Amino acid sequence: MAPQDVRPGASLACATAGAAVLTPGGGRDAGGVKRCFPPVVDAHTRLLILGSLPGERSLAQNQYYAHRQNRFWTLLGFALGADLAALDYACRLEFLLSRGVGLWDVVAEARREGSLDCRIRAASGNELAAFVRSLPELSAIAFNGATAARLGMKQLGPLGSAYRIVNLPSSSPAHARPLAEKRVAWDAIASLLVR
C-alpha cells in the first residue's frame, strides 16, 4: 500500500475500513501466563517500536495499546501527523505499515498480576536478535518505556549498535509525566523514518 497524504485533521482512507481485524496469538493461559501478540511488520518496516508485554485491556480486546488512557496512539499520531486514535484498529495497523513502522514486544510470555511492568515475573524474551535481522529495511528501534528498553537491549546485545536506538517515555498512564513532555520525546520518531 502506498503511503497516504496525511495532514493533521485530514480524513484517512483505509482499505480494511469496517473490517474487524484482531491481533491473534496473544493472551493468557489457565495458569496465569500472559503472552505477547505476534509482530506487526512487513518487509518494508524501517522502525520497530517495542513495548514490554500487553496489559490486561489489550489482552482482553486482542489489540496493541487498547486501554483508552494509554497514550500510544495519540503520541505516535502526533509524530506521524495523523489522528491515529480516531481510526479503528485495523486502519491504525495498516497506516503504521504504510509508513514503515512495526510493533512488537520484548517479552514473549510472563506471569503478571495486572498490567504494571514492575509486576512482570518469570519472563521469557522474544528472539529479538534473529527477528530484527529478518527485517531487511530496519534501521531504527524505539523502546516504549524503560522496562522494554532494559530487557530489549539485553536481548539485542551487541547487535543493538547496528541500529538507531530511541528510548521513549512510556505511553502508559502509570508513567505519570505530562503528555506535552512525552510528546517532545515521541516526536523524534518522525526523523527515524526519513530515508
Side-chain angles (χ1 to χ4, degrees), residues 50-169:
L50 295 167
S52 56
L53 181 70
E56 291 291 326
R57 183 69 50 90
S58 292
L59 292 170
Q61 293 185 16
N62 212 17
Q63 297 179 3
Y64 280 100
Y65 303 102
H67 197 290
R68 284 187 358 216
Q69 292 178 335
N70 190 305
R71 303 306 237 158
F72 178 83
W73 298 109
T74 300
L75 289 164
L76 189 55
F78 286 148
L80 299 178
D83 187 1
L84 296 178
L87 298 175
D88 69 26
Y89 185 66
C91 291
R92 291 175 186 175
L93 298 183
E94 184 177 317
F95 181 80
L96 293 188
L97 291 175
S98 77
R99 289 295 182 94
V101 178
L103 299 177
W104 205 24
D105 289 307
V106 298
V107 176
E109 64 180 34
R111 294 189 181 284
R112 180 178 63 195
E113 187 174 319
S115 296
L116 297 176
D117 284 354
C118 65
R119 293 194 172 166
I120 293 174
R121 303 286 183 263
S124 297
N126 279 313
E127 297 290 334
L128 290 185
F131 181 70
V132 299
R133 280 191 210 105
S134 75
L135 299 171
E137 295 185 27
L138 187 68
S139 62
I141 299 169
F143 293 104
N144 183 3
T147 299
R150 180 176 46 81
L151 296 174
M153 288 305 294
K154 183 177 178 181
Q155 292 169 29
L156 288 172
L159 183 62
S161 65
Y163 301 93
R164 291 177 60 191
I165 302 291
V166 176
N167 295 325
L168 299 167

Side-chain angles (χ1 to χ4, degrees), residues 25-59:
R28 71 190 106 214
D29 66 17
V33 174
K34 297 175 181 177
R35 291 185 178 79
C36 75
F37 300 127
V40 176
V41 297
D42 64 19
H44 305 291
T45 298
R46 298 187 314 276
L47 166 65
L48 180 62
I49 301 176
L50 295 167
S52 56
L53 181 70
E56 291 291 326
R57 183 69 50 90
S58 292
L59 292 170

